Amino acid sequence: HEYIYLDQISVRPAYRNSGCGRALMDAVREMAQAAGIRRVALDTMAFNTGAIMFYERLGFQMYKHTMHLEWQDEREAGTV
């Protein structure tokens, strides 16, 4: 299935809750529809609850969880 992947989107704090984010997302949807694509995908950080709520209000649904493990040096690498 083809989809548009939205890599990054940001609205400056002073312009949040003014319709800018919705206008940007509407433009993405219009571009997808014009290309005959019926799905838009994006990632957001788990701690970014404002963005998650925004996307959910637009109809986005959680599709997957990506988990990361990071260590600082070789000694820590062997503890997994």
Side-chain angles (χ1 to χ4, degrees):
H1 296 245
E2 278 192 297
Y3 62 92
I4 288 181
Y5 177 76
L6 184 59
D7 184 48
Q8 292 187 1
I9 186 171
S10 175
V11 174
R12 290 179 182 252
Y15 296 98
R16 292 180 186 157
N17 299 308
S18 69
C20 289
R22 180 172 290 275
L24 289 168
M25 295 304 293
D26 286 347
V28 170
R29 185 180 195 135
E30 289 172 15
M31 288 174 21
Q33 289 174 328
I37 298 172
R38 298 173 49 93
R39 186 195 299 177
V40 175
L42 56 83
D43 293 320
T44 188
M45 302 303 275
F47 62 80
N48 194 345
T49 56
I52 293 168
M53 290 188 304
F54 170 71
Y55 296 131
E56 287 176 342
R57 283 194 305 273
L58 296 177
F60 282 81
Q61 298 176 348
M62 183 64 66
Y63 179 72
K64 70 176 183 173
H65 292 272
T66 302
M67 300 173 74
H68 293 261
L69 171 66
E70 183 175 334
W71 53 89
Q72 298 300 317
D73 60 34
E74 293 299 319
R75 290 174 295 178
E76 294 179 53
T79 62
V80 177

